[in-house]
């Protein structure tokens, strides 16, 4: 087999076989197939797409390029969740203990990565002592005992994807739905879950700006998951503003605690119940969404969800008393209001800009080696649809530096106000099976 023939075949719109795709991914991972040929191939996919079978073969080949996590020692049907991007998305922090509290095993592999805030692990590390450096055996034991544990990402998970994503980034081939879908799904499948719930974001703050593209991506990922024998469902949710109020690491942990008590921001609360219900149904712990939702709501009300969070934090070395005393979480030295320049109704909050504001304060990583300030971030006081008076606080900056003029400008620019009344945006557009 020669790579040049495979590039030509895709360029001319033909379908590649499983063997051809395996040959290509193995060769690329080992370095036998050079970057320039893989770049040309990616561009051919960008223009010609891939069939449903090709996408499954590509995903499977990337899964097999590295470690595959074996969760067979964990009892029950393991469910994983993935959200495509978004800003201040606190859902994982809430969902892991929430669904665990009704008996669904959550064996979560998580990363740090670059972004506006840290990843799930960074956020959890706002809790003194919490760590994810546990062995695979401890991980299995903890999930069997407490139904939830988080472990750091294996360094050798889907190396083919890592290499290909870096190449796509510099060859203008990121925005290809088959390539995005196989990239995301390969990581989820290699991480070992039996079933997967996907939260695909759409709107100004999302990867997929239009609803049609989001639906297309969701369907493509669902077909891949089901195609490799992992039951997969997706929902499409709104990102025309950040989710919840808090964007920052410790700030989001605090928000997660409120949400586990049933006292979280309305949109975050609703999204967690929707995603959580799908997870509970897929794991076989409830027959339908309404039964699952009731179980989760009960768990918030009777304190079991919060208890599960405490147990989880404590089991991985964390100071679980922060759950009852959130004031023990890292706190920024300054809390500075961002006053509205005019009166009106909030029409839009560009999530991306709020994310950048949080990053400017030090909440996220600019490079792989940046050190995150866990205490800082932005808390939104006003959301889309809210009425605002001139001078009233749109948001509150939590900062460890006194001068936040630039951050304030950024937040002001993220808010678009209008004279007319604005409806709250739709939170969940549709489900994809
Ligand atoms: N996120 C990924 O993991 N892969 C992509 O290709 C795009 C977004
Ligand atoms: Ca949030």
């Amino acid at each position: 087999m020669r790579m040049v023939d495979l590039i030509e075949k895709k360029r001319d719109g033909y379908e590649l076989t499983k063997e051809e795709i395996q040959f290509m991914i193995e060769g690329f991972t080992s370095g036998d197939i050079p970057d320039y040929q893989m770049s040309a191939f990616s561009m051919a996919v960008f223009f010609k797409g891939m069939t449903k079978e090709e996408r499954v073969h590509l995903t499977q080949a990337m899964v097999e390029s590295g470690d595959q996590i074996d969760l067979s020692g964990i009892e029950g049907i393991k469910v994983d969740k993935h959200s495509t991007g978004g800003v201040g998305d606190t859902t994982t922090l809430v969902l892991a203990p929430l669904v665990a509290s009704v008996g669904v095993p959550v064996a979560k592999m998580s990363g740090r990565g670059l972004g506006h805030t840290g990843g799930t692990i960074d956020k959890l590390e706002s809790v003194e002592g919490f760590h994810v450096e546990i062995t695979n055996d401890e991980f299995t034991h903890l999930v069997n005992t407490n139904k939830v544990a988080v472990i750091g990402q294996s360094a050798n998970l889907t190396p083919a994807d890592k290499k290909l994503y870096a190449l796509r980034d510099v060859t203008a081939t990121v925005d290809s739905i088959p390539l995005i879908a196989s990239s995301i799904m390969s990581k989820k499948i290699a991480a070992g879950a039996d079933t997967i719930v996907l939260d695909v974001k759409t709107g100004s703050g999302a990867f997929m700006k239009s609803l049609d593209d989001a639906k297309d991506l969701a369907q493509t990922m669902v077909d891949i998951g089901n195609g490799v024998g992992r039951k997969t469902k997706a929902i499409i949710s709104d990102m025309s503003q950040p989710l919840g109020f808090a964007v920052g690491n410790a700030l989001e942990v605090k928000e997660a605690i409120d949400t586990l008590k049933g006292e979280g921001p309305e949109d975050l609360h609703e999204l967690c119940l929707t995603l959580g219900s799908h997870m509970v149904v897929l794991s076989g712990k409830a027959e339908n969404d309404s039964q699952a939702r009731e179980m989760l709501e009960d768990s918030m009300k009777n304190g079991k969800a919060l208890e599960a969070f405490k147990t989880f934090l404590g089991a991985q070395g964390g100071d679980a008393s922060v759950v009852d005393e959130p004031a023990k979480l890292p706190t920024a030295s300054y809390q500075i209001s961002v006053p509205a320049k005019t009166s009106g109704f909030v029409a839009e909050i560009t999530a991306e800009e709020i994310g950048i504001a949080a990053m400017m304060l030090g909440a996220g990583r600019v490079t792989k080696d940046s050190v995150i300030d866990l205490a800082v971030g932005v808390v939104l006081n006003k959301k889309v649809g809210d009425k605002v008076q001139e001078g009233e606080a749109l948001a509150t900056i939590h900062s460890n530096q006194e001068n936040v003029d630039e951050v304030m400008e950024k937040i002001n620019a993220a808010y678009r106000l209008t004279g007319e009344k604005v409806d709250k945006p739709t939170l969940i557009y549709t489900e994809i099976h």
Side-chain angles (χ1 to χ4, degrees), residues 408-420:
M408 213 175 261
E409 274 315 304
K410 199 85 198 159
I411 294 173
N412 250 307
Y415 273 82
R416 189 166 62 79
L417 301 188
T418 146
E420 284 106 67

Side-chain angles (χ1 to χ4, degrees), residues 51 79 81 109 149 229 360 369 379:
T51 66
V79 188
K81 185 235 52 159
M109 180 176 271
M360 288 160 72
D369 304 313
V379 175

Side-chain angles (χ1 to χ4, degrees), residues 328-369:
K328 284 186 177 172
L329 288 165
T331 307
S333 313
Y334 304 98
Q335 297 190 10
I336 304 158
S337 293
V338 182
K341 291 180 175 170
T342 56
S343 299
F345 294 89
V346 180
E348 195 182 6
I349 309 170
T350 318
E352 181 75 19
E353 298 293 313
I354 299 292
I356 293 170
M359 186 106 135
M360 288 160 72
L361 292 164
R365 278 189 190 86
V366 183
T367 71
K368 197 158 74 8
D369 304 313

Side-chain angles (χ1 to χ4, degrees), residues 83-99:
S83 296
T84 64
V87 172
D89 183 349
T90 318
T91 52
T92 301
L93 291 181
V94 178
L95 283 168
L98 179 61
V99 305

Side-chain angles (χ1 to χ4, degrees), residues 5-70:
D5 299 325
L6 306 187
I7 299 169
E8 185 177 313
K9 203 171 167 184
K10 182 45 68 186
R11 182 200 69 192
D12 296 341
Y14 295 103
E15 182 180 42
L16 301 189
T17 66
K18 180 178 177 181
E19 290 69 30
E20 286 169 334
I21 291 174
Q22 272 174 346
F23 164 83
M24 177 175 70
I25 293 301
E26 280 170 21
F28 178 57
T29 309
S30 68
D32 292 344
I33 291 172
D35 285 0
Y36 50 81
Q37 285 192 309
M38 203 61 199
S39 306
F41 180 80
S42 300
M43 192 57 87
V45 170
F46 181 88
F47 284 111
K48 298 291 180 176
M50 286 185 129
T51 66
K52 208 163 155 173
E53 285 72 27
E54 283 179 311
R55 296 174 206 151
V56 167
H57 299 323
L58 174 61
T59 306
Q60 194 61 40
M62 294 206 290
V63 168
E64 288 164 7
S65 72
D67 294 347
Q68 294 180 62
I69 311 306
D70 178 12

